[in-house]
Amino acid sequence: MGHWTHAAAGTGCTVVLFEQAVAAAVDVRGSAPGTRETDALNPGGLVARVDAIVFTGGSAFGLAAADGVMRRLEEAGRGFPTPAGPVPIVPAAVIYDLAVGDSAVRPDATSGESAVHAASVRPVIQGNVGAGTGATIGVGTGQVKGGLGSAVVRNGGAVAGAIAVVNPAGAVYDPASGQRLAGGCEPWDQAFGQHTTIGVVAVNADLERWQIRKVAEMAHDGLARAVRPAHGMHDGDTIFAVAVGDGPTDANLTMLGHAAAEAFAAAIVNGTLAARPAYGLPATQR
């Protein structure tokens, strides 16, 4: 993972890079998404693998960050083979963060390149970083700072890792305790199209694309456990799923999906608790 963070402007982008192209799928459930290359990941499509995934602030403007990631991958000879050379496959999803910081500053191609340059296998930095820099939770007087979170869950032989950019219109709850951690009970029609929770789950199995899509679908259960309400008119909730490692092809898909849901819920909680006060907004911290 690599981040580009512009703390003063309240925005940033995050890239998840893979050592080699991986099988991927996506499930988009919010009614106000900002995405790129998601249709290409539908089961039955020609392109089955992705080279990287980008999460970014800047609303739809921020999708330009993926251009910079593609540029770096092309230089490295990565991408889907074509007669004219490889074309990197880089799906992306955005959050709306234009209401904090400086709305004139948005992630662009140079930002995406910087995120690639900063990428490493070190433990994930959480909170006000990358795509989580300008994230917020809730609306109106109950609004607090959101952020980027990560988590890993082991469920028997199933292992799922998740990254979540926590920027929902709804409130965030701890599924384990039922405690509300952040966000208020304001009328959500104040926030049309201005919120979303996005992220990715990775599971340790060799899966077909329809199976990976099922993992993405079940990961949304974790989103719904941690965010209430979820998948609303004001959100563009989008979760990618990838199959990595050398796990069995006959893995228990239900257990993998369950682990993905638990990991994504935990990543939302961790992103909420790792956030720090900024842009005049408080943060929820234990």
Side-chain angles (χ1 to χ4, degrees), residues 2 10 64 69 90 103 112 180 211 214 226 251 261 272 281 286:
V69 178
V90 183
S103 62
R180 180 163 59 88
Q211 295 173 307
K214 186 62 180 179
T272 300
L281 295 172
R286 283 178 179 165

Side-chain angles (χ1 to χ4, degrees), residues 110-192:
T110 301
S111 308
E113 289 190 281
S114 297
V116 172
H117 181 72
S120 77
V121 295
R122 292 189 296 270
V124 176
I125 302 172
Q126 302 184 81
N128 303 15
V129 64
T133 303
T136 60
I137 299 169
V139 297
T141 57
Q143 189 174 56
V144 300
K145 187 72 183 69
L148 184 144
S150 70
V152 175
V153 166
R154 291 171 174 81
N155 190 349
V159 181
I163 301 293
V165 183
V166 188
N167 186 63
V172 172
Y173 289 77
D174 182 344
S177 66
Q179 177 187 3
R180 180 163 59 88
L181 301 177
C185 300
E186 301 291 329
W188 288 286
D189 59 4
Q190 297 179 13
F192 179 77

Side-chain angles (χ1 to χ4, degrees), residues 65-124:
D67 293 336
V69 178
M70 287 188 68
R71 189 180 304 160
R72 283 299 185 97
L73 288 169
E74 181 186 25
E75 291 171 355
R78 295 279 303 273
F80 184 80
T82 79
V87 177
I89 306 301
V90 183
V94 305
I95 67 166
Y96 182 95
D97 59 4
L98 302 180
V100 303
D102 184 352
S103 62
V105 178
R106 305 128 181 181
D108 56 15
T110 301
S111 308
E113 289 190 281
S114 297
V116 172
H117 181 72
S120 77
V121 295
R122 292 189 296 270
V124 176

Side-chain angles (χ1 to χ4, degrees), residues 14-29:
T14 296
V15 59
V16 181
L17 295 169
F18 305 102
E19 292 182 353
Q20 58 187 12
V22 298
V26 66
D27 189 12
V28 181
R29 297 204 182 179

